[in-house]
Amino acid sequence: FCFFFFQAEDGIRDVERSRGLGDVYKRQELSNKKEMLTNLTRYYNSVGEKVSHALPLTFHIKEGLEDPEFKRFVEVFQNKEGKNIWIVKPGENTNQGHKIRVLNTLEGVRRAVKLVRKGRSLIVQKYIEQPFLINKRKCDIRIYALFTSANGHRKGYFYEEGYIRTSSKEFSLKNLANRAIHLTNDAVQQKEEDYGRYESGNKLSFADFQKYLDSVCGCLLYTSPSPRDLSTSRMPSSACKKKKQ
């Protein structure tokens, strides 16, 4: 998973007067969850593939309970067998895990939809019930990215040496209300008594992550501490590659 560090805000300021990362023109194309869904869908359609190959089943609800997307979600929810767990996220203008909830009842999702303000939207996505864990705790991967535009020529780069964020609590589907179990955001984890108990600042370097992979699966993490040009290179299709015997 790739996360880009842009401040999510609505609207676009005067481009000529913009200063700093928070003023990147059209940054919502990267920072908003709804735009991420739209752009990923557009990309996979352009290469003849389904976005479901990369994302869990996702609904973008823009018009409240009467939205056709919500009605489609209800149909899926009512016909789904097994665990019916969903993660609900604001479509725009939020960060730090704000208003993200993990729910397993139709009434809970319905309430979340009703609370959305006019002009806002909601992402409802099938929760990953068997995520990759580090010592029984959830994690995510963060990398740094740089986008440049000069004289109409745009380039994107990413730095392959990123870091891993970890949860303070062991993963469990028995307690969906505990955000410290399910969200690895610093703003959530810093409030926990166990913050920093297992890793300093709940962070792992890629080198430390590789040691963990060596101990549990013998997998190889692609790393290289140098900038990489996305305009001429492609990211590996998988984050891990089985080591040669």
Side-chain angles (χ1 to χ4, degrees):
F1 297 91
C2 298
F3 298 84
F4 296 90
F5 288 12
F6 289 84
Q7 178 66 33
E9 297 178 13
D10 285 347
I12 299 172
R13 300 180 189 176
D14 185 337
V15 179
E16 296 300 321
R17 297 181 181 179
S18 292
R19 295 289 187 274
L21 192 59
D23 291 322
V24 174
Y25 180 66
K26 287 197 176 235
R27 64 195 174 278
Q28 70 272 16
E29 295 292 333
L30 294 173
S31 60
N32 279 353
K33 294 176 177 64
K34 68 176 183 182
E35 301 297 352
M36 184 180 292
L37 173 63
T38 298
N39 289 320
L40 282 172
T41 301
R42 184 181 296 127
Y43 168 75
Y44 278 96
N45 287 342
S46 73
V47 296
E49 297 182 16
K50 296 181 179 180
V51 70
S52 57
H53 292 166
L55 289 178
L57 180 60
T58 305
F59 300 90
H60 182 204
I61 301 168
K62 298 172 280 188
E63 302 294 335
L65 299 179
E66 298 304 315
D67 193 309
E69 275 287 275
F70 179 70
K71 294 180 179 180
R72 191 163 71 92
F73 162 75
V74 171
E75 183 178 352
V76 169
F77 188 98
Q78 292 176 335
N79 289 285
K80 183 158 184 61
E81 298 179 358
K83 293 184 177 68
N84 220 340
I85 303 175
W86 300 79
I87 187 165
V88 177
K89 321 170 190 179
E92 56 279 301
N93 201 35
T94 58
N95 55 16
Q96 299 182 338
H98 186 57
K99 292 186 178 180
I100 296 180
R101 284 158 285 183
V102 181
L103 305 169
N104 62 353
T105 67
L106 182 56
E107 184 55 35
V109 177
R110 194 187 304 273
R111 284 197 300 269
V113 172
K114 291 171 71 173
L115 288 173
V116 176
R117 292 187 299 163
K118 187 176 181 180
R120 304 296 189 190
S121 64
L122 199 69
I123 298 293
V124 180
Q125 188 174 73
K126 189 67 186 70
Y127 193 52
I128 298 175
E129 296 163 4
Q130 293 181 310
F132 179 84
L133 303 176
I134 293 180
N135 294 319
K136 300 181 180 181
R137 293 173 288 119
K138 279 189 72 174
C139 62
D140 70 25
I141 300 175
R142 295 240 158 181
I143 64 170
Y144 300 96
L146 170 67
F147 288 86
T148 64
S149 178
N151 300 320
H153 185 60
R154 298 173 184 171
K155 279 191 173 184
Y157 307 84
F158 74 93
Y159 197 68
E160 290 187 340
E161 180 63 32
Y163 62 94
I164 314 297
R165 301 191 308 182
T166 60
S167 168
S168 301
K169 305 292 184 183
E170 288 191 2
F171 181 73
S172 172
L173 295 175
K174 295 180 180 180
N175 186 352
L176 302 182
N178 190 332
R179 287 158 51 86
I181 293 174
H182 302 284
L183 303 181
T184 53
N185 303 73
D186 286 327
V188 174
Q189 296 299 326
Q190 286 175 354
K191 299 175 183 177
E192 297 300 311
E193 291 183 2
D194 290 333
Y195 179 72
R197 176 180 177 184
Y198 304 104
E199 301 89 21
S200 178
N202 281 39
K203 307 288 190 305
L204 280 173
S205 67
F206 276 7
D208 288 335
F209 184 43
Q210 183 61 66
K211 292 177 182 178
Y212 177 77
L213 293 177
D214 290 341
S215 70
V216 297
C217 67
C219 296
L220 179 63
L221 177 72
Y222 285 91
T223 61
S224 177
S226 60
R228 181 170 176 180
D229 186 345
L230 291 181
S231 64
T232 58
S233 305
R234 295 186 62 184
M235 291 181 66
S237 58
S238 173
C240 294
K241 181 179 180 181
K242 193 70 175 179
K243 281 185 176 178
K244 292 182 180 180
Q245 301 298 324

